[in-house]
Amino acid sequence: MRAIWKGALTFGLVNVPVKVYSATEDHDVPLHQVHAADGGRIRYQRICELDGEVVPYAEIDRAFDDGERTVVLTKDDFASLPSERSREIDVVEFVPTEQIDLLTLDRAYYLEPDSSSPKAYVLLRRTLEATDRTAIVRFSLRQKTRLAALRVRGEVLVLQTLLWADEVREAAFPSLDEEVRISAKELELSASLVESFSGDFDPSEFADEYQQELRALIDAKLADGDAVDTAATFGERDEDEGGGEVIDLLAALRASVERSRASRSAEETRPDATTEKRKKKA
């Protein structure tokens, strides 16, 4: 695997240098579009609507259109954004693992310690295991600020991006508001059916049958000579297409705990803090 990003996990004054790797990969058979008549490759070109010229990818910027005006954003504009320059994965809070809604989980990444000593990395991993907590973190990757869950998988820390709250649709189905009567016998038989299918989940026992059949079909066509010469039909491919480590970990941990306690103490002793708590209880 090749690292796609380098940075540092930070919580309090503790800094854990890490390398980020994609945890999953796509095994779908890659397919191209071709002309049905002669098998020629269908390619899409980036055409400028003003001059009709083909534009190389290196000369393309991005833009926002509000319906009347267009704002062009250059690569320098994106590079100037604070979040894009950040190489830190900031821990926002540690939450009970069961509070993470599976519906919000998105892309997964492995984190590898990127320092001469993995002590801080192992300490964080063991702490998450011992407390049964998941760290909620913020970081920036590929020009997007992301929220993610940091959890343990075996011996590795896994970073799994989360959908933002407004990206999850509300399940508002009127049909579910209707009262439905379920008899005790129906519930018993349903539970019995579930029990008959019960077992321990082993992902290796399952395979993508569609992709397997597709590969078998391709192999059969190749074996029968039902193929065309790639160079003759597709032509030549256009090349244009195409943290610092904490030296004293114990001191950093103590300082972080003291700073957190001081912050909470200051919050509780504010003149309006007691009044605010009473209002919430009321």
Side-chain angles (χ1 to χ4, degrees), residues 212-281:
Q212 291 179 338
E213 292 295 331
L214 179 58
R215 289 181 183 275
L217 176 61
I218 293 173
D219 290 341
K221 282 180 170 289
L222 289 172
D224 291 342
D226 187 6
V228 294
D229 182 80
T230 299
T233 56
F234 285 7
E236 297 298 325
R237 181 180 295 275
D238 187 350
E239 293 299 328
D240 290 336
E241 297 283 333
E245 184 177 0
V246 172
I247 297 177
D248 192 339
L249 178 59
L250 188 58
L253 288 169
R254 284 174 176 166
S256 298
V257 171
E258 290 173 2
R259 188 171 68 174
S260 177
R261 287 176 177 172
S263 177
R264 289 185 179 180
S265 178
E267 182 68 22
E268 293 175 355
T269 55
R270 281 194 303 109
D272 60 337
T274 303
T275 304
E276 193 67 30
K277 287 182 179 179
R278 288 175 180 170
K279 286 181 179 179
K280 289 182 178 179
K281 289 182 179 179

Side-chain angles (χ1 to χ4, degrees), residues 9 25 37 54 66 77 80 111 142 167 226-227 231-232 248 255 279:
L9 269 168
E25 56 186 359
V54 177
D66 66 2
D77 290 329
S80 69
L111 299 186
R142 294 168 181 162
E167 292 180 315
D226 187 6
D248 192 339
K279 286 181 179 179

Side-chain angles (χ1 to χ4, degrees), residues 120-234:
Y121 180 98
V122 174
L123 175 62
L124 177 57
R125 188 193 71 206
R126 290 185 179 177
T127 302
L128 290 175
E129 289 177 322
T131 59
D132 193 22
R133 295 267 171 166
T134 293
I136 301 300
V137 304
R138 280 178 178 268
F139 69 107
S140 177
L141 178 65
R142 294 168 181 162
Q143 298 179 344
K144 285 187 65 176
T145 299
R146 301 169 191 266
L147 192 67
L150 179 70
R151 57 189 182 83
V152 179
R153 185 175 189 269
E155 300 293 312
V156 180
L157 288 176
V158 173
L159 191 70
Q160 194 143 14
T161 56
L162 300 172
L163 298 175
W164 298 100
D166 60 0
E167 292 180 315
V168 179
R169 292 176 172 176
E170 181 181 358
F173 304 119
S175 59
L176 294 179
D177 296 331
E178 299 176 8
E179 184 177 352
V180 178
R181 293 184 179 180
I182 303 294
S183 69
K185 188 61 176 178
E186 288 172 329
L187 193 57
E188 179 185 345
L189 289 174
S190 180
S192 177
L193 181 61
V194 169
E195 183 62 30
S196 68
F197 279 90
S198 296
D200 295 322
F201 178 58
D202 181 1
S204 64
E205 294 180 355
F206 301 87
D208 189 338
E209 295 180 0
Y210 177 86
Q211 292 297 321
Q212 291 179 338
E213 292 295 331
L214 179 58
R215 289 181 183 275
L217 176 61
I218 293 173
D219 290 341
K221 282 180 170 289
L222 289 172
D224 291 342
D226 187 6
V228 294
D229 182 80
T230 299
T233 56
F234 285 7

Side-chain angles (χ1 to χ4, degrees), residues 76-102:
D76 289 338
D77 290 329
F78 284 110
S80 69
L81 297 176
S83 60
E84 183 61 17
R85 293 198 304 266
S86 174
R87 284 287 173 176
E88 291 187 347
I89 303 173
D90 291 319
V91 174
V92 179
E93 58 185 352
F94 294 92
V95 304
T97 299
E98 66 269 15
Q99 290 184 0
I100 304 298
D101 186 350
L102 296 180

